[in-house]
Amino acid sequence: MGSLQLSSIRKAFGDHEVLKGIDLDVKEGEFVIFVGPSGCGKSTLLRVIAGLEDASSGSIRIDGQEVATVPPAKRGIAMVFQSYALYPHLTVKDNMGLGLKQAGTPKPEIEQRVAKASSMLSLDPYLARRPAELSGGQRQRVAIGRAIVREPSLFLFDEPLSNLDAALRVQTRLEIARLHRRLKATMIYVTHDQVEAMTLADKIVVLNAGAIEQIGSPMDLYNKPANIFVAGFIGSPQMNFIPAEKLGEAGAQGAVKTIGIRPEHIALSRESGDWKGKVIHAEHLGADTILYLETETADLVTVRLFGEHRYAADDIVFATPDKASIHRFDANDRAIA
Ligand SMILES: Nc1ncnc2c1ncn2[C@@H]1O[C@H](COP(=O)(O)OP(=O)(O)OP(=O)(O)O)[C@@H](O)[C@H]1O
Ligand SMILES: [Mg+2]
């Protein structure tokens, strides 16, 4: 239960086409993450899958059944939004059970399902409270609980953690990963946060301007980005892109237009190396040191060193890219294998 096939999904608002032919295959139990810049169509795609928005054309099949004419409530889907919109006058328990009550589920079954979800999400101590008496993270867990009690085969999450502070995001992220393992349900999850995408996903879908740029496992996208857009979007700090012509013969081979090298794949030395440069800014993060260099050959280059290194602004250094980790792109920004 919970497999999903999208074929040639298009969606236009007036003459503005927001989804430009989306094909996607999600297997039962998979954790799929949509990433992409603001406005690229992530929420619209989720809403189309949920049935809250009609596609202009294309087909949506859940467990092999075409659902275009199936109303949202009958699709076996539960959606968790960024703004969790709990009912302020209802307790946690009643907020979680409301959907079941409205669907006419018998009371003992509601009790049992809410109790199970509450224990899974560690919400037992808060069941009698109202949303105003909870922290943001607790409220978000109630919103997730409200989805779980419906026992959907497909969960849709639209940036569920973006209102939480950094520590709580990490904690809730772990809870969602655990929940996915326990429920074995299919999950589709939208996020801006690449750490969330890299750590939770079986499969990441990179969207750009209403179209899919690449689909792959987190490590596929990191190691083998299909084009400059994906290469620049996955990984932080961003990959360095250097016009091949700047590197002379070493770079300008055949169709190679741009060279890409990730900041963590560059070695630094005070004595010698491929690119001479000056440190223009150093970020000492403790676990990492990020250096921004102005180089003669490759312009601005970002370097990420593991651990603490005593480089400072104005130091003269030499950067050497790891040859095996270089990415090559053609004039159309496509990766050259
Ligand atoms: N109801 C609507 N009417 C007209 N245009 C809309 C409507 N909903 C969304 N859009 C437009 O569709 C595009 C995609 O919006 P969408 O909300 O799917 O983006 P998103 O990828 O979720 O962005 P974000 O990361 O900012 O949430 C945007 O240009 C948006 O303005
Ligand atoms: Mg959105």
Side-chain angles (χ1 to χ4, degrees), residues 13 16 18 36-44 53 159 192:
F13 292 107
H16 176 34
V18 171
S38 190
C40 72
K42 304 179 295 292
S43 296
T44 305
E53 204 82 72
E159 307 210 35
H192 266 106

PDB file of all heavy atoms in Angstrom, residues 13 16 18 36-44 53 159 192, ligand 1:
ATOM      1  N   PHE A  13      -1.838  27.930 -13.479  1.00  0.00           N
ATOM      2  CA  PHE A  13      -2.763  28.900 -12.883  1.00  0.00           C
ATOM      3  C   PHE A  13      -2.918  29.997 -13.926  1.00  0.00           C
ATOM      4  O   PHE A  13      -1.966  30.721 -14.193  1.00  0.00           O
ATOM      5  CB  PHE A  13      -2.200  29.490 -11.583  1.00  0.00           C
ATOM      6  CG  PHE A  13      -2.098  28.490 -10.449  1.00  0.00           C
ATOM      7  CD1 PHE A  13      -0.860  28.000 -10.054  1.00  0.00           C
ATOM      8  CD2 PHE A  13      -3.231  28.051  -9.784  1.00  0.00           C
ATOM      9  CE1 PHE A  13      -0.760  27.091  -9.013  1.00  0.00           C
ATOM     10  CE2 PHE A  13      -3.145  27.144  -8.743  1.00  0.00           C
ATOM     11  CZ  PHE A  13      -1.901  26.662  -8.352  1.00  0.00           C
ATOM     12  N   HIS A  16      -0.024  30.823 -16.418  1.00  0.00           N
ATOM     13  CA  HIS A  16       1.266  30.576 -15.776  1.00  0.00           C
ATOM     14  C   HIS A  16       1.391  29.077 -15.474  1.00  0.00           C
ATOM     15  O   HIS A  16       0.698  28.552 -14.611  1.00  0.00           O
ATOM     16  CB  HIS A  16       1.334  31.407 -14.492  1.00  0.00           C
ATOM     17  CG  HIS A  16       2.564  31.191 -13.677  1.00  0.00           C
ATOM     18  ND1 HIS A  16       3.795  30.916 -14.227  1.00  0.00           N
ATOM     19  CD2 HIS A  16       2.764  31.215 -12.336  1.00  0.00           C
ATOM     20  CE1 HIS A  16       4.684  30.776 -13.258  1.00  0.00           C
ATOM     21  NE2 HIS A  16       4.087  30.940 -12.107  1.00  0.00           N
ATOM     22  N   VAL A  18       2.906  26.099 -13.807  1.00  0.00           N
ATOM     23  CA  VAL A  18       3.692  25.921 -12.585  1.00  0.00           C
ATOM     24  C   VAL A  18       4.321  24.532 -12.532  1.00  0.00           C
ATOM     25  O   VAL A  18       5.415  24.363 -12.010  1.00  0.00           O
ATOM     26  CB  VAL A  18       2.767  26.162 -11.367  1.00  0.00           C
ATOM     27  CG1 VAL A  18       3.462  25.787 -10.085  1.00  0.00           C
ATOM     28  CG2 VAL A  18       2.337  27.618 -11.317  1.00  0.00           C
ATOM     29  N   GLY A  36      14.023  22.173  -3.876  1.00  0.00           N
ATOM     30  CA  GLY A  36      14.078  23.097  -5.009  1.00  0.00           C
ATOM     31  C   GLY A  36      13.868  24.500  -4.503  1.00  0.00           C
ATOM     32  O   GLY A  36      13.372  24.692  -3.390  1.00  0.00           O
ATOM     33  N   PRO A  37      14.229  25.493  -5.295  1.00  0.00           N
ATOM     34  CA  PRO A  37      14.114  26.879  -4.847  1.00  0.00           C
ATOM     35  C   PRO A  37      12.666  27.290  -4.611  1.00  0.00           C
ATOM     36  O   PRO A  37      11.742  26.641  -5.103  1.00  0.00           O
ATOM     37  CB  PRO A  37      14.736  27.689  -5.986  1.00  0.00           C
ATOM     38  CG  PRO A  37      14.950  26.763  -7.111  1.00  0.00           C
ATOM     39  CD  PRO A  37      14.781  25.366  -6.641  1.00  0.00           C
ATOM     40  N   SER A  38      12.493  28.360  -3.866  1.00  0.00           N
ATOM     41  CA  SER A  38      11.177  28.879  -3.565  1.00  0.00           C
ATOM     42  C   SER A  38      10.419  29.161  -4.861  1.00  0.00           C
ATOM     43  O   SER A  38      10.985  29.722  -5.802  1.00  0.00           O
ATOM     44  CB  SER A  38      11.346  30.167  -2.747  1.00  0.00           C
ATOM     45  OG  SER A  38      10.119  30.555  -2.255  1.00  0.00           O
ATOM     46  N   GLY A  39       9.168  28.723  -4.911  1.00  0.00           N
ATOM     47  CA  GLY A  39       8.337  29.002  -6.082  1.00  0.00           C
ATOM     48  C   GLY A  39       8.476  27.997  -7.213  1.00  0.00           C
ATOM     49  O   GLY A  39       7.864  28.159  -8.267  1.00  0.00           O
ATOM     50  N   CYS A  40       9.261  26.920  -7.009  1.00  0.00           N
ATOM     51  CA  CYS A  40       9.476  25.976  -8.119  1.00  0.00           C
ATOM     52  C   CYS A  40       8.330  24.988  -8.280  1.00  0.00           C
ATOM     53  O   CYS A  40       8.311  24.210  -9.231  1.00  0.00           O
ATOM     54  CB  CYS A  40      10.793  25.231  -7.935  1.00  0.00           C
ATOM     55  SG  CYS A  40      10.761  24.021  -6.609  1.00  0.00           S
ATOM     56  N   GLY A  41       7.357  24.972  -7.329  1.00  0.00           N
ATOM     57  CA  GLY A  41       6.181  24.124  -7.514  1.00  0.00           C
ATOM     58  C   GLY A  41       6.058  22.953  -6.544  1.00  0.00           C
ATOM     59  O   GLY A  41       5.206  22.091  -6.721  1.00  0.00           O
ATOM     60  N   LYS A  42       6.879  22.923  -5.502  1.00  0.00           N
ATOM     61  CA  LYS A  42       6.870  21.788  -4.559  1.00  0.00           C
ATOM     62  C   LYS A  42       5.516  21.634  -3.871  1.00  0.00           C
ATOM     63  O   LYS A  42       4.933  20.553  -3.857  1.00  0.00           O
ATOM     64  CB  LYS A  42       7.972  21.978  -3.484  1.00  0.00           C
ATOM     65  CG  LYS A  42       9.357  22.171  -4.039  1.00  0.00           C
ATOM     66  CD  LYS A  42      10.394  22.373  -2.952  1.00  0.00           C
ATOM     67  CE  LYS A  42      10.232  23.646  -2.130  1.00  0.00           C
ATOM     68  NZ  LYS A  42      10.476  24.892  -2.876  1.00  0.00           N
ATOM     69  N   SER A  43       5.017  22.728  -3.282  1.00  0.00           N
ATOM     70  CA  SER A  43       3.736  22.647  -2.568  1.00  0.00           C
ATOM     71  C   SER A  43       2.604  22.347  -3.535  1.00  0.00           C
ATOM     72  O   SER A  43       1.697  21.578  -3.222  1.00  0.00           O
ATOM     73  CB  SER A  43       3.442  23.960  -1.834  1.00  0.00           C
ATOM     74  OG  SER A  43       4.410  24.186  -0.842  1.00  0.00           O
ATOM     75  N   THR A  44       2.660  22.951  -4.718  1.00  0.00           N
ATOM     76  CA  THR A  44       1.609  22.702  -5.707  1.00  0.00           C
ATOM     77  C   THR A  44       1.565  21.213  -6.052  1.00  0.00           C
ATOM     78  O   THR A  44       0.494  20.615  -6.125  1.00  0.00           O
ATOM     79  CB  THR A  44       1.851  23.549  -6.974  1.00  0.00           C
ATOM     80  OG1 THR A  44       1.954  24.912  -6.586  1.00  0.00           O
ATOM     81  CG2 THR A  44       0.724  23.385  -7.978  1.00  0.00           C
ATOM     82  N   GLU A  53      -5.832  20.271  -5.154  1.00  0.00           N
ATOM     83  CA  GLU A  53      -5.704  21.079  -6.360  1.00  0.00           C
ATOM     84  C   GLU A  53      -5.831  20.096  -7.521  1.00  0.00           C
ATOM     85  O   GLU A  53      -5.295  18.991  -7.418  1.00  0.00           O
ATOM     86  CB  GLU A  53      -4.287  21.675  -6.350  1.00  0.00           C
ATOM     87  CG  GLU A  53      -4.091  22.925  -7.118  1.00  0.00           C
ATOM     88  CD  GLU A  53      -4.534  24.162  -6.349  1.00  0.00           C
ATOM     89  OE1 GLU A  53      -3.876  24.568  -5.386  1.00  0.00           O
ATOM     90  OE2 GLU A  53      -5.574  24.692  -6.754  1.00  0.00           O
ATOM     91  N   GLU A 159       7.195  21.033   4.403  1.00  0.00           N
ATOM     92  CA  GLU A 159       8.105  21.760   5.293  1.00  0.00           C
ATOM     93  C   GLU A 159       7.645  21.721   6.739  1.00  0.00           C
ATOM     94  O   GLU A 159       7.446  22.766   7.358  1.00  0.00           O
ATOM     95  CB  GLU A 159       8.222  23.220   4.842  1.00  0.00           C
ATOM     96  CG  GLU A 159       8.590  23.317   3.371  1.00  0.00           C
ATOM     97  CD  GLU A 159       9.394  24.557   3.037  1.00  0.00           C
ATOM     98  OE1 GLU A 159      10.196  24.961   3.895  1.00  0.00           O
ATOM     99  OE2 GLU A 159       9.216  25.089   1.949  1.00  0.00           O
ATOM    100  N   HIS A 192      13.317  22.818   2.433  1.00  0.00           N
ATOM    101  CA  HIS A 192      14.349  23.723   1.905  1.00  0.00           C
ATOM    102  C   HIS A 192      15.701  23.322   2.451  1.00  0.00           C
ATOM    103  O   HIS A 192      16.734  23.785   1.981  1.00  0.00           O
ATOM    104  CB  HIS A 192      14.102  25.143   2.453  1.00  0.00           C
ATOM    105  CG  HIS A 192      13.310  25.999   1.551  1.00  0.00           C
ATOM    106  ND1 HIS A 192      12.000  26.300   1.810  1.00  0.00           N
ATOM    107  CD2 HIS A 192      13.624  26.604   0.395  1.00  0.00           C
ATOM    108  CE1 HIS A 192      11.558  27.086   0.833  1.00  0.00           C
ATOM    109  NE2 HIS A 192      12.523  27.263  -0.031  1.00  0.00           N
TER     110      HIS A 192
HETATM  111  N1  LIG B   1      -3.508  29.414  -6.192  1.00  0.00           N
HETATM  112  C1  LIG B   1      -2.546  29.941  -6.963  1.00  0.00           C
HETATM  113  N2  LIG B   1      -2.827  30.822  -7.925  1.00  0.00           N
HETATM  114  C2  LIG B   1      -1.862  31.344  -8.736  1.00  0.00           C
HETATM  115  N3  LIG B   1      -0.563  31.034  -8.632  1.00  0.00           N
HETATM  116  C3  LIG B   1      -0.196  30.146  -7.672  1.00  0.00           C
HETATM  117  C4  LIG B   1      -1.171  29.556  -6.797  1.00  0.00           C
HETATM  118  N4  LIG B   1      -0.506  28.717  -5.956  1.00  0.00           N
HETATM  119  C5  LIG B   1       0.795  28.783  -6.311  1.00  0.00           C
HETATM  120  N5  LIG B   1       0.994  29.647  -7.339  1.00  0.00           N
HETATM  121  C6  LIG B   1       2.281  29.950  -7.989  1.00  0.00           C
HETATM  122  O1  LIG B   1       2.848  28.725  -8.380  1.00  0.00           O
HETATM  123  C7  LIG B   1       4.255  28.759  -8.209  1.00  0.00           C
HETATM  124  C8  LIG B   1       4.677  27.575  -7.357  1.00  0.00           C
HETATM  125  O2  LIG B   1       4.190  27.742  -6.039  1.00  0.00           O
HETATM  126  P1  LIG B   1       4.452  26.685  -4.896  1.00  0.00           P
HETATM  127  O3  LIG B   1       3.732  27.135  -3.697  1.00  0.00           O
HETATM  128  O4  LIG B   1       4.146  25.327  -5.413  1.00  0.00           O
HETATM  129  O5  LIG B   1       6.022  26.826  -4.704  1.00  0.00           O
HETATM  130  P2  LIG B   1       6.989  26.119  -3.654  1.00  0.00           P
HETATM  131  O6  LIG B   1       8.014  25.391  -4.461  1.00  0.00           O
HETATM  132  O7  LIG B   1       6.206  25.351  -2.669  1.00  0.00           O
HETATM  133  O8  LIG B   1       7.696  27.386  -2.961  1.00  0.00           O
HETATM  134  P3  LIG B   1       8.139  27.617  -1.429  1.00  0.00           P
HETATM  135  O9  LIG B   1       9.432  26.895  -1.299  1.00  0.00           O
HETATM  136  O10 LIG B   1       8.310  29.099  -1.363  1.00  0.00           O
HETATM  137  O11 LIG B   1       7.046  27.087  -0.537  1.00  0.00           O
HETATM  138  C9  LIG B   1       4.594  30.099  -7.621  1.00  0.00           C
HETATM  139  O12 LIG B   1       5.019  30.926  -8.658  1.00  0.00           O
HETATM  140  C10 LIG B   1       3.269  30.574  -7.050  1.00  0.00           C
HETATM  141  O13 LIG B   1       3.200  31.960  -7.049  1.00  0.00           O
END
